[in-house]
Amino acid sequence: MSAAESIPQQHAHAVHALYGAHHRWLFGWLRNKLGCAHNAADVAHDTFLRIIASRDALLGVEQPRAWLATTAKRLIVDRARRQALEQAYLAELALLAEVLPCDPSPDETLMALQALDQIGAALQALSAKAREAFLLHYLDQQPHAAIAARLGVSTRMVRKYLVQALLACRAHCPGMGA
């Protein structure tokens, strides 16, 4: 077996050991934090999926529970932002429904939710700072200077992050732009 082939196998063993040793704890911690066993199970599952997707993530982990909790907290924040985006979209639809002669069709609603899923997938592929910049600018309507201060970067870097995010969305969302 070559060294390249042994790395994925070592990663699989490390993930399996981490899961066996800490899944029950993570699930309980999330259940207490979220107040719902179903949501806790979903976030615990997504936490381990994120770890599996990050091949080098297990190298040098000294405090696995702190690392799992941090990863889970980030996922909870991502879910909350996605829900806020969905709620904002639904609120906008409700406002439009009051002034338009007809409601959006189920197909239009489904297409919009699928677009949100595609945008979410595109954002997951970005660095944490680029994703944060995108969400702060487009969801929270923060100006570049405020985002730069929060992220500890220049406004030029914020612009680069926003361009990266928009390009990622365009690549993941077939209906965006030409």
Side-chain angles (χ1 to χ4, degrees), residues 93-161:
L93 282 180
L95 289 174
L96 286 175
E98 294 175 7
V99 296
L100 293 178
C102 64
D103 292 332
S105 71
D107 287 340
E108 291 171 326
T109 302
L110 177 63
M111 286 174 40
L113 291 175
Q114 287 172 339
L116 288 174
D117 283 339
Q118 291 171 338
I119 291 169
L123 294 178
Q124 287 303 316
L126 296 172
S127 70
K129 284 190 176 184
R131 183 172 46 251
E132 182 81 8
F134 178 88
L135 293 170
L136 288 170
H137 184 69
Y138 290 104
L139 188 61
D140 297 339
Q141 299 178 340
Q142 294 288 312
H144 293 188
I147 298 167
R150 181 166 176 171
L151 298 179
V153 298
S154 67
T155 55
R156 184 173 181 210
M157 195 67 217
V158 169
R159 286 192 297 275
K160 286 183 179 184
Y161 287 150

Side-chain angles (χ1 to χ4, degrees), residues 51-132:
I51 290 165
I52 290 168
S54 176
R55 295 174 57 120
D56 295 335
L58 294 172
L59 299 176
V61 173
E62 294 179 14
Q63 297 180 6
R65 288 187 176 182
W67 181 56
L68 287 168
T70 299
T71 302
K73 285 178 191 176
R74 288 179 181 152
L75 287 168
I76 291 168
V77 168
D78 289 347
R79 282 174 158 235
R81 285 189 175 140
R82 184 177 189 286
Q83 287 174 344
L85 191 58
E86 285 178 5
Q87 290 303 316
Y89 172 74
L90 292 174
E92 190 66 30
L93 282 180
L95 289 174
L96 286 175
E98 294 175 7
V99 296
L100 293 178
C102 64
D103 292 332
S105 71
D107 287 340
E108 291 171 326
T109 302
L110 177 63
M111 286 174 40
L113 291 175
Q114 287 172 339
L116 288 174
D117 283 339
Q118 291 171 338
I119 291 169
L123 294 178
Q124 287 303 316
L126 296 172
S127 70
K129 284 190 176 184
R131 183 172 46 251
E132 182 81 8

Side-chain angles (χ1 to χ4, degrees), residues 11-56:
H11 182 71
H13 290 303
V15 170
H16 182 70
L18 182 71
Y19 184 91
H22 301 288
H23 179 266
R24 179 176 282 169
W25 170 84
L26 180 63
F27 173 76
W29 182 81
L30 287 166
R31 190 179 60 230
N32 288 336
K33 187 161 188 68
L34 299 174
C36 173
H38 296 294
N39 288 338
D42 286 345
V43 175
H45 173 78
D46 291 347
T47 300
F48 283 98
L49 281 179
R50 184 164 284 182
I51 290 165
I52 290 168
S54 176
R55 295 174 57 120
D56 295 335

